[in-house]
């Protein structure tokens, strides 16, 4: 019974892994497909090696039992008897070395071809790591048209994407396994890598380099969508924040501009221009907040604003004990920032 249950759970986990939006075994683009191919090659080689080792081990045990049963005399030094065994060991070592060499060459070739930069009219996105969130910038020749978002990176399907990485504090690592391998973000050092997404969908990414106490909650989402949807999204993100007319939202804006919020966040089109925390100009368009930790709903927004330390201890955002009416107004305003 217990074995059956174990097998059922293992199957469930395996199936869930196969369909995941955070798995290198569900490749969504050409670079990830190369990595997935390499995974399966190594998997099958390892499986064959495992089966062979177990088979020889079992054969050896069986043979030693027969020898014992027949009480064959075992001499400590018997050149004649040991010769076939020595030959077998030499052949096994040779096969192991060749196999490891083949795997090494395949890994290097796959790594190189997955990391290669494409130059066919790519989309360039700057990704900057912060403790513990991601800033994504879509540069424009006109500085005030640069779109800045956080923890949610939109991409058009079927177009080469170039990601320029940097970090503001410590080393982070950008990892969206459905799209490509890991890429470190180094303070004071910009790197570039490229990939393409061929299947529309929402993919989960995660910081893959330990960067402090909230490393595990440094997630992000990649939204891969058809080109027209992406263009519409980008055009919206390039605009300044909407000029709200709703009385509650206006009060919320006042709360934002007169409390601690303004010391860290930008809302383009208002006086708020600090770059310490995420740009909130279009925060209402995002699916999640707090680096893909919470859904972007009024309740979680209220919890996050009031006491972020309870949700992500150590996060750079301080607690904001607001008057309930002020909090309500602030949330109305933030929910308006489409
Ligand atoms: Cu950033 Cu781990």
């Amino acid at each position: 019974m217990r074995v059956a249950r174990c097998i059922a759970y293992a199957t469930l986990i395996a199936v869930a892994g196969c369909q995941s939006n955070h798995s290198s075994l569900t490749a969504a683009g050409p670079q990830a497909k190369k990595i997935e191919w390499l995974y399966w090659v190594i998997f099958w080689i390892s499986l064959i090696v495992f089966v062979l080792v177990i088979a020889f081990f079992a054969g050896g045990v069986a043979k030693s039992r027969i020898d014992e049963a027949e009480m064959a005399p075992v001499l400590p030094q018997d050149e004649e008897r040991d010769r076939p065994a020595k030959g077998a060991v030499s052949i096994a070592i040779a096969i192991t070395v060749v196999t490891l060499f083949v795997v090494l060459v395949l890994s290097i070739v796959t790594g190189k071809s997955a990391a290669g930069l494409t130059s066919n009219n790519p989309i360039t996105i700057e990704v900057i790591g912060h403790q513990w969130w991601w800033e994504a910038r879509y540069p424009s020749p006109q500085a005030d048209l640069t779109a800045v978002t956080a923890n949610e990176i939109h991409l058009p399907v079927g177009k080469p994407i170039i990601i320029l990485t940097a970090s503001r504090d410590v080393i982070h690592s950008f990892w969206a396994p459905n799209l490509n391998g890991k890429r470190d973000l180094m303070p004071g050092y910009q790197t570039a890598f490229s990939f393409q997404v061929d299947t529309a969908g929402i993919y989960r990414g995660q910081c893959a380099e330990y960067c402090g106490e909230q490393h595990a909650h440094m997630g992000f989402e990649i939204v891969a969508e058809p080109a027209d949807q992406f263009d519409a999204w980008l055009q919206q993100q390039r605009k300044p924040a909407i000029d709200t007319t709703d009385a509650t939202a206006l009060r919320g804006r006042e709360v934002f501009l007169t409390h601690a919020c303004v010391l860290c966040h930008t809302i383009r089109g208002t006086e708020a221009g600090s770059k310490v925390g995420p740009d909130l100009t279009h925060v209402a368009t995002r699916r999640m907040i707090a680096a893909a930790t919470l859904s972007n709903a009024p309740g979680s927004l209220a919890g996050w604003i009031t006491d972020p330390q309870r949700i992500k201890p150590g996060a750079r955002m301080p607690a904001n004990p607001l008057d309930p009416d002020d909090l309500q107004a602030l949330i109305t305003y933030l929910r308006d920032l489409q």
Side-chain angles (χ1 to χ4, degrees), residues 208-227:
E209 178 74 52
Y210 182 71
C211 55
E213 52 196 316
Q214 285 304 325
H215 157 72
H217 290 140
M218 188 170 165
F220 62 96
E221 285 194 319
I222 298 233
V223 180
E225 53 202 358

Side-chain angles (χ1 to χ4, degrees), residues 129-134 170-173 206-212 214-216 218:
H130 298 259
Q131 281 175 320
W132 289 275
W133 59 281
W134 304 85
V170 298
I171 303 178
H172 303 275
S173 182
Q206 173 64 38
C207 181
E209 178 74 52
Y210 182 71
C211 55
Q214 285 304 325
H215 157 72
M218 188 170 165

Side-chain angles (χ1 to χ4, degrees), residues 55-227:
F56 278 107
F57 176 73
V61 170
K63 188 169 177 298
S64 75
R65 286 208 174 156
I66 293 167
D67 286 351
E68 253 172 51
E70 290 173 356
M71 298 297 272
V74 179
L75 302 172
Q77 285 278 315
D78 186 343
E79 286 277 327
E80 201 57 38
R81 191 203 55 173
D82 287 350
R83 195 163 292 146
K86 277 183 180 165
V89 168
S90 304
I91 293 169
I93 290 173
I95 293 174
T96 306
V97 169
V98 169
T99 310
L100 286 176
F101 192 71
V102 167
V103 169
L104 176 70
V105 170
L106 286 177
S107 301
I108 292 172
V109 170
T110 308
K112 283 223 177 267
S113 74
L117 284 180
T118 46
S119 59
N120 188 16
N121 201 15
I123 306 265
T124 302
I125 304 168
E126 296 165 14
V127 174
I128 301 151
H130 298 259
Q131 281 175 320
W132 289 275
W133 59 281
W134 304 85
E135 178 182 350
R137 304 172 64 86
Y138 295 73
S140 159
Q142 226 181 306
D144 60 338
L145 287 182
T146 294
V148 185
T149 182
N151 310 315
E152 186 175 304
I153 300 169
H154 285 240
L155 307 171
V157 163
K159 268 210 166 191
I161 310 293
I162 290 189
I163 302 271
L164 300 176
T165 62
S167 168
R168 282 282 174 273
D169 33 51
V170 298
I171 303 178
H172 303 275
S173 182
F174 182 95
W175 185 42
N178 302 67
L179 313 182
N180 206 339
K182 297 170 184 173
R183 187 54 68 115
D184 280 0
L185 280 64
M186 316 274 201
Y189 183 76
Q190 194 172 56
T191 61
F193 73 110
S194 79
F195 58 81
Q196 186 173 314
V197 190
D198 290 334
T199 317
I202 296 171
Y203 302 99
R204 167 104 190 179
Q206 173 64 38
C207 181
E209 178 74 52
Y210 182 71
C211 55
E213 52 196 316
Q214 285 304 325
H215 157 72
H217 290 140
M218 188 170 165
F220 62 96
E221 285 194 319
I222 298 233
V223 180
E225 53 202 358

Side-chain angles (χ1 to χ4, degrees), residues 238-280:
R238 289 201 194 283
K239 289 182 188 161
I242 56 150
D243 236 343
T244 185
T245 47
D246 176 77
T248 315
L250 279 173
R251 181 175 168 193
R253 187 169 72 183
E254 211 42 44
V255 172
F256 189 93
L257 295 175
T258 52
H259 286 76
C261 324
V262 71
L263 300 176
C264 294
H265 297 280
T266 289
I267 295 182
R268 279 170 279 139
T270 72
E271 294 121 71
S274 176
K275 307 231 181 305
V276 178
D279 184 305
L280 300 178

